[in-house]
Amino acid sequence: MLRSVISFDRREASGLTYQQAVVKRLELEKQKVTGLCVVTDEAASRIGLAGVLTQLRGWGAIEVEHEYARAQELCERHGAHDLSFLASWNLWVGSIARGQISDAHDRSRAVFDLACCSASPSVRLQGHHALWTTAFARGEFQQVPVHVAAGIALYQPEELHLQSYGSHDPCVCARAFQARAAALCGQP
């Protein structure tokens, strides 16, 4: 089975044996490339295809959900937890985009659980991002500031390129949701 080395930004290498992939990952770690994991070539291809389909069809497209679900399954099977998080996060976004709030709630909890296992503050921030957004969508406005505060505590402006899941600044997003939730609760 051939392997790829994936970063948060792209597929760094593919078509490698497991041993070659481990060596490549170590080389990239020395270069301070972040978000590295070794996955099967199929998982890497599915993540890539899902990203393209998202641009073409939108977050809520069923084809996008299918590709991220398969990628998540492969990542979980092979212990690629960081990439599993990425797939899980995108599955949650798809649920929100389709207005499937109950499904989004379940998926936001899964995203948060995966995020809590990560050493990356950026990933943990995104776990709270999923929860504050879903809490707002469910009308649970008192929960929004709890997750906003926890997320902002993890925010690192110098790492914005790693924290911009969904193509936006999570701190700006957090403050916007916090303000809307406060307004809906009659607070200034």
Side-chain angles (χ1 to χ4, degrees), residues 12-65:
E12 301 288 341
S14 63
L16 306 172
T17 66
Y18 180 77
Q19 222 29 334
Q20 291 169 326
V22 169
V23 169
K24 182 67 174 177
R25 179 183 177 169
L26 292 172
E27 289 172 8
L28 292 167
E29 284 176 353
K30 289 178 186 174
Q31 297 171 24
K32 306 239 188 274
V33 176
T34 56
L36 294 169
C37 60
V38 174
V39 297
T40 64
D41 276 355
E42 181 185 0
S45 294
R46 296 225 179 233
I47 290 286
L49 177 57
V52 171
L53 287 171
T54 299
Q55 296 302 311
L56 295 173
R57 313 259 178 170
W59 289 106
I62 295 303
E63 304 92 354
V64 172
E65 180 179 37

Side-chain angles (χ1 to χ4, degrees), residues 72-120:
Q72 181 182 33
E73 176 187 319
L74 291 167
C75 292
E76 287 174 356
R77 185 181 315 149
H78 297 288
H81 299 293
D82 284 343
L83 201 57
S84 180
F85 171 82
L86 178 63
S88 184
W89 192 90
N90 279 286
L91 287 167
W92 162 74
V93 171
S95 295
I96 286 285
R98 287 187 300 278
Q100 298 171 332
I101 305 305
S102 179
D103 188 40
H105 175 69
D106 294 342
R107 287 183 169 171
S108 71
R109 298 302 312 172
V111 166
F112 183 75
D113 290 346
L114 283 168
C116 287
C117 296
S118 177
S120 167

Side-chain angles (χ1 to χ4, degrees), residues 10 86 162:
R10 65 180 172 270
L86 178 63
L162 299 177

Side-chain angles (χ1 to χ4, degrees), residues 87-169:
S88 184
W89 192 90
N90 279 286
L91 287 167
W92 162 74
V93 171
S95 295
I96 286 285
R98 287 187 300 278
Q100 298 171 332
I101 305 305
S102 179
D103 188 40
H105 175 69
D106 294 342
R107 287 183 169 171
S108 71
R109 298 302 312 172
V111 166
F112 183 75
D113 290 346
L114 283 168
C116 287
C117 296
S118 177
S120 167
S122 299
V123 170
R124 291 194 315 275
L125 166 58
Q126 291 305 324
H128 288 287
H129 186 180
L131 291 179
W132 78 61
T133 304
T134 305
F136 186 89
R138 289 171 51 94
E140 298 169 349
F141 304 123
Q142 312 82 349
Q143 290 300 308
V144 174
V146 172
H147 293 292
V148 163
I152 288 175
L154 296 165
Y155 182 72
Q156 300 169 330
E158 66 280 1
E159 298 291 326
L160 184 58
H161 68 286
L162 299 177
Q163 296 183 336
S164 295
Y165 284 61
S167 303
H168 64 273
D169 183 318

